[in-house]
Amino acid sequence: MKVSDFVADFLSKKGIKMVFELSGGMITHLLDSLRQTTDIQIVTMHHEQAAAFAAEGFARVSGLPGVALATSGPGATNLLTGIGSCYFDSVPAIFITGQVNTHEQKGDNPIRQLGFQETDIVSMARPITKAAFLVNDSSDIERVFEEAFMIANEGRPGPVLIDIPMNIQREQIEVQVKQKREEEEGPIDTLILSKLILDIKKAKAPLILSGRGIKASNSQELFARFVDKVNIPVITSLLGLDTISYDNPLRVGFIGSYGNRWANIAFGECDLLIVLGARLDIRQTGADTKFIENRKIYHIDCEPGEINNRVKGCVPIISDLSRFFRSFFVTSESETFGVNRNWIEHISQLKMQWPDTSELSVKGINPNVFIHQLSKSSGAAKAFLADVGSHQMWASQSLELLDGQHFLTSGGMGAMGFSLPAAIGACLALNNAPVVVIIGDGCMQINIQELQTIVRNKLNIKIVVLNNKSLGMITQFQESYFEARYQSTYWGYSAPDFEKIAEAYGIKAQTIFSEKETTEALEWLWEGENEDQSLLLQVMIEPLTNTYPKIAFGKPITEMEPFSKPIEMEGT
């Protein structure tokens, strides 16, 4: 069997329905085999970074590893941002790159390059992958692919890169019958689970912090059952936003540097915190972690290094979340947990005291009010995607996500340009069910070429551009720390009319400037024949509109701007 035919057949047998790529000479054998020997859909993008993000979007929604291909040299290096995004946000993915022929590789020779476009992508990718392989012997190909899929999915999921020289791709191999696979999981100590049960019963103000680990471990249903069982209110990280429905009475809100003010206050006041698949990183806790260390914290994570890293004194439970939930249900089978009405009522009062729609005083369209309106009108949407910047935080503060609706954004990498290509992957994984992209003018210009991919594949993606004619999150930073010198964010920066650009690609588009136009524009997004089409709505936001609340850097996360001022310059 030809190696490239084996790769295609292997992907098909693993249930992969589509791959994302931008063609190049060193992957032509792979693309030809995929087309000739399988039913896998080949989705051609217009930039390798976009292919990587599309694979990530597909994986986050489908639960299968995303697969992206790129040629050697610039094709492979262009994948790196998307590879890092999968690594930091725990997304299983297989990245396959073509490499120059083995006889064209420089090896140990003291030269920079031998073959044209020869690039050591394995060394570059290794720090941001779970594993990276260069296959210089065709007899290794079967083992490498089996290992790659196992590694990508096991434990904390993540990306694996496989680099295959072109001459290896066309060699013939004899496919072996595989043997596998050991899976060992010791039971969780019932003593620690019994202590957790006792602490839940004693707590006066308990909270659950839900993170990306819930989706990454495919344990959403178990998590919902856990919340129903223990009756504890839930705060979410940015990547855990879609783990609990907006209308669930136990949902508190989004916490972190730009979190809902009431949620951050509740975070600071809780006496028991159960952390499920979140890292307690600086964006979740702020720089000053002393405020959080004076209460009982149970931290459940499959990666030991994430526990007692920044926040000390946590009770560690090293476990995959699905295993933790199942063990907890067995241990607590005869237990009942009451509802702390006083605590829930207190949180409700905090919500009324600090509504997200009153944090900003703006001329024109209030972005938080608009996001609520967008949510209410977009019940048909199966996923919402936010890019990176001010609009991302407005979306996180105000989206009304319901059961079954996904939320995708770039967390650890924080990559501008993520949402448009990721929406392509998500939409395809959802069989072209509608998805909504919320994106800023700066992010829109990074992977704008993928509008053509949306049109060519007739995808049902509603694109909402919040255009404030600036890079708003950075202008706010410059206002705080650089005396409002807006170099390269407002000064020396510009954005086009995205309505005209969308129409040039063949996408119907509209622009709104005022609050009174909002209702009609949102009806237009979903009315009649528009319901199944890609559309673009440009929403003009007043330039230099800030994002509030925002943590006052250096202070506890309960103290937020504009009422509290930072005491040091934020470093992240």
Side-chain angles (χ1 to χ4, degrees):
M1 181 183 250
K2 185 181 172 185
V3 165
S4 60
D5 288 346
F6 164 79
V7 172
D9 182 63
F10 180 91
L11 294 176
S12 181
K13 285 176 177 172
K14 289 293 184 183
I16 300 303
K17 303 297 183 192
M18 59 192 63
V19 300
F20 303 88
E21 53 78 36
L22 177 59
S23 186
M26 297 300 109
I27 56 169
T28 48
H29 284 285
L30 293 166
L31 293 176
D32 188 60
S33 292
L34 285 164
R35 177 63 188 266
Q36 295 282 75
T37 67
T38 75
D39 294 325
I40 292 173
Q41 182 178 351
I42 301 170
V43 183
T44 298
M45 310 292 288
H46 291 277
H47 195 287
E48 292 88 357
Q49 183 189 99
F53 285 145
E56 180 177 355
F58 179 87
R60 287 210 202 184
V61 169
S62 70
L64 292 167
V67 179
L69 287 77
T71 193
S72 60
T77 59
N78 282 343
L79 288 175
L80 287 172
T81 299
I83 293 173
S85 183
C86 290
Y87 186 67
F88 297 135
D89 288 350
S90 308
V91 180
I94 305 294
F95 292 94
I96 304 170
T97 51
Q99 184 55 272
V100 300
N101 296 316
T102 51
H103 64 270
E104 294 179 300
Q105 294 172 25
K106 69 184 182 70
D108 295 327
N109 291 325
I111 56 176
R112 295 188 180 186
Q113 187 185 57
L114 182 59
F116 172 65
Q117 291 188 332
E118 179 194 5
T119 305
D120 184 2
I121 193 62
V122 167
S123 296
M124 293 181 188
R126 194 166 276 134
I128 52 170
T129 55
K130 291 186 74 180
F133 300 94
L134 170 61
V135 185
N136 268 336
D137 185 332
S138 59
S139 65
D140 291 334
I141 198 80
E142 191 173 3
R143 173 188 59 80
V144 165
F145 269 83
E146 286 288 357
E147 282 185 25
F149 263 74
M150 184 180 72
I151 291 168
N153 285 291
E154 70 181 355
R156 182 177 175 183
V160 176
L161 180 131
I162 305 171
D163 195 31
I164 313 175
M166 195 172 185
N167 64 309
I168 299 295
Q169 294 175 35
R170 61 179 180 261
E171 286 186 9
Q172 297 290 319
I173 58 169
E174 191 173 320
V175 178
Q176 307 297 317
V177 182
K178 322 108 183 106
Q179 77 291 342
K180 283 240 155 29
R181 115 194 217 164
E182 340 99 32
E183 245 171 64
E184 249 186 74
E185 273 194 349
I188 295 177
D189 186 353
T190 54
L191 185 60
I192 198 168
L193 293 175
S194 297
K195 284 180 179 175
L196 172 58
I197 290 165
L198 187 61
D199 282 332
I200 291 172
K201 291 190 164 189
K202 287 193 310 188
K204 297 284 190 286
L207 285 178
I208 293 166
L209 170 56
S210 64
R212 161 80 185 141
I214 290 166
K215 295 284 188 181
S217 61
N218 296 311
S219 54
Q220 178 64 59
E221 290 181 12
L222 292 171
F223 171 68
R225 187 177 151 200
F226 177 77
V227 173
D228 287 344
K229 170 88 175 174
V230 297
N231 289 308
I232 294 177
V234 178
I235 53 176
T236 79
S237 70
L238 174 66
L239 296 181
L241 212 65
D242 57 356
T243 58
I244 185 165
S245 178
Y246 183 83
D247 59 7
N248 189 315
L250 289 171
R251 178 190 180 273
V252 179
F254 159 58
I255 58 99
S257 296
Y258 296 87
N260 298 123
R261 193 184 296 271
W262 70 81
N264 278 358
I265 293 171
F267 189 14
E269 293 180 350
C270 74
D271 62 1
L272 171 68
L273 182 66
I274 302 170
V275 183
L276 298 171
R279 298 190 295 119
L280 294 176
D281 70 348
I282 196 167
R283 281 294 178 112
Q284 292 172 15
T285 67
D288 179 3
T289 61
K290 291 191 215 57
F291 85 100
I292 198 179
E293 291 170 354
N294 63 353
R295 84 279 322 272
K296 195 67 169 274
I297 303 172
Y298 285 86
H299 194 166
I300 298 91
D301 203 290
C302 65
E303 199 161 69
E306 293 291 1
I307 303 176
N308 289 313
N309 178 14
R310 295 186 62 255
V311 176
K312 309 299 183 186
C314 300
V315 178
I317 299 179
I318 313 299
S319 173
D320 177 86
L321 284 179
S322 60
R323 174 170 161 250
F324 163 75
F325 289 134
R326 294 182 196 283
S327 299
F328 182 88
F329 295 144
V330 170
T331 307
S332 65
E333 187 174 12
S334 61
E335 304 284 350
T336 56
F337 300 87
V339 179
N340 190 321
R341 299 287 177 197
N342 291 337
W343 175 229
I344 290 174
E345 178 58 29
H346 175 63
I347 293 171
S348 296
Q349 289 172 354
L350 289 173
K351 284 185 183 182
M352 288 188 284
Q353 185 180 354
W354 300 107
D356 55 309
T357 51
S358 298
E359 291 282 357
L360 291 174
S361 178
V362 295
K363 290 185 259 176
I365 296 171
N366 180 315
N368 291 99
V369 172
F370 174 79
I371 294 295
H372 280 287
Q373 294 170 323
L374 175 65
S375 301
K376 287 183 172 73
S377 70
S378 303
K382 296 301 181 186
F384 290 84
L385 296 95
D387 219 281
V388 173
S390 297
H391 66 278
Q392 177 191 35
M393 295 302 115
W394 293 325
S396 303
Q397 291 166 352
S398 301
L399 268 173
E400 300 182 15
L401 295 166
L402 301 176
D403 281 334
Q405 290 184 319
H406 299 273
F407 177 72
L408 281 65
T409 193
S410 180
M413 179 62 81
M416 292 174 66
F418 164 86
S419 63
L420 199 63
I424 292 169
C427 188
L428 287 165
L430 291 163
N431 297 314
N432 206 19
V435 304
V436 175
V437 170
I438 302 167
I439 189 167
D441 51 286
C443 296
M444 186 66 185
Q445 296 183 81
I446 289 179
N447 276 314
I448 198 167
Q449 73 283 344
E450 301 311 325
L451 290 174
Q452 185 61 43
T453 309
I454 292 170
V455 169
R456 182 183 350 106
N457 289 280
K458 298 181 173 63
L459 298 179
N460 190 356
I461 297 176
K462 315 298 187 191
I463 305 158
V464 179
V465 183
L466 300 187
N467 186 352
N468 60 0
K469 298 185 177 180
S470 62
L471 302 180
M473 189 170 276
I474 313 173
T475 61
Q476 185 168 348
F477 187 92
Q478 291 169 321
E479 183 181 299
S480 296
Y481 304 114
F482 293 92
E483 299 175 330
R485 295 189 296 274
Y486 300 125
Q487 180 56 50
S488 306
T489 56
Y490 190 51
W491 306 342
Y493 168 86
S494 62
D497 183 339
F498 295 103
E499 180 181 349
K500 291 180 180 176
I501 288 178
E503 289 171 346
Y505 277 99
I507 297 172
K508 290 197 288 187
Q510 277 192 14
T511 302
I512 59 173
F513 297 87
S514 66
E515 192 84 41
K516 65 185 180 187
E517 299 172 282
T518 300
T519 301
E520 190 175 328
L522 291 175
E523 287 174 356
W524 168 80
L525 269 183
W526 299 101
E527 69 186 4
E529 64 177 19
N530 289 350
E531 186 179 1
D532 299 321
Q533 290 187 19
S534 58
L535 299 169
L536 184 142
L537 176 62
Q538 180 172 224
V539 182
M540 303 307 295
I541 305 293
E542 187 69 19
L544 307 179
T545 298
N546 284 338
T547 308
Y548 290 129
K550 178 188 178 185
I551 186 174
F553 203 80
K555 293 184 179 178
I557 205 163
T558 49
E559 298 184 40
M560 304 187 77
E561 297 183 41
F563 306 114
S564 186
K565 297 301 179 187
I567 57 174
E568 56 185 275
M569 181 181 287
E570 57 203 90
T572 184

